């Protein structure tokens, strides 16, 4: 698991770590049922607090990306394609919302925004 924390990032550390673990799970770099480092080990490796790593694991568990097995640690959850599809759909909507807001702030019409999206889809 490769995680890079950027101290100058606008995102809090826990969000940076969550995003990177989530992305590695979705990309298949961290495999289904693979054991993750313990909370304390991840905190030591990243030189961050145990409270921060606990929040990361709790958030990822709440989202269904990882599961906690009592006495054994945290593991990547089996892939639930419907959950994964819903999560990716929500992320797409967030990205589209930002794109539309940016387009409108730039003075583009709805037709120009849709044309830009269509051009992007063709590539």
């Amino acid at each position: 698991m490769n995680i890079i924390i950027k101290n100058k990032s606008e995102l809090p550390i826990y969000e940076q770590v969550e995003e990177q673990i989530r992305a590695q799970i979705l990309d298949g770099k961290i495999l289904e049922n693979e054991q993750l480092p313990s909370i304390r080990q991840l905190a030591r490796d990243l030189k961050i607090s145990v409270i921060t790593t606990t929040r990361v694991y709790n958030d990822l568990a709440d989202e269904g990306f990882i599961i906690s097995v009592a006495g054994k640690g945290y593991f990547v959850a089996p892939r639930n394609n419907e959950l994964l599809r819903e999560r990716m759909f929500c992320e797409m909507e967030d990205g589209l919302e930002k794109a539309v807001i940016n387009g409108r702030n730039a003075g583009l019409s709805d037709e120009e925004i849709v044309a830009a999206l269509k051009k992007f889809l063709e590539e």
Side-chain angles (χ1 to χ4, degrees):
M1 186 163 54
N2 185 20
I3 298 172
I4 299 169
I5 296 173
K6 297 178 183 175
N7 292 325
K8 294 184 180 183
S9 173
E10 293 179 10
L11 290 177
I13 291 172
Y14 79 91
E15 283 186 30
Q16 292 180 53
V17 176
E18 278 179 31
E19 283 185 2
Q20 291 178 59
I21 293 174
R22 189 181 302 111
Q24 290 179 43
I25 291 170
L26 292 173
D27 292 344
K29 292 177 182 169
I30 304 174
L31 301 175
E32 181 177 319
N33 298 318
E34 184 174 332
Q35 185 169 12
L36 299 173
S38 71
I39 288 173
R40 292 186 190 286
Q41 184 62 52
L42 184 61
R44 272 193 300 273
D45 292 348
L46 299 177
K47 297 177 177 55
I48 60 177
S49 78
V50 170
I51 294 169
T52 300
T53 54
T54 300
R55 179 170 183 177
V56 167
Y57 279 7
N58 286 339
D59 288 353
L60 290 170
D62 289 345
E63 294 174 14
F65 284 97
I66 65 174
I67 55 172
S68 173
V69 177
K72 294 192 178 188
Y74 286 87
F75 295 81
V76 176
R79 290 186 85 106
N80 176 335
N81 288 336
E82 189 59 36
L83 175 66
L84 181 60
R85 184 178 186 281
E86 181 64 28
R87 179 76 183 148
M88 297 304 290
F89 185 79
C90 288
E91 287 186 25
M92 180 195 69
E93 284 182 325
D94 289 344
L96 289 172
E97 180 182 15
K98 289 176 188 173
V100 169
I101 290 169
N102 287 339
R104 287 186 175 151
N105 288 340
L108 299 176
S109 69
D110 287 353
E111 292 78 18
E112 290 171 310
I113 294 170
V114 170
L117 176 60
K118 285 182 180 178
K119 181 179 178 186
F120 183 77
L121 289 171
E122 290 171 1
E123 294 176 357

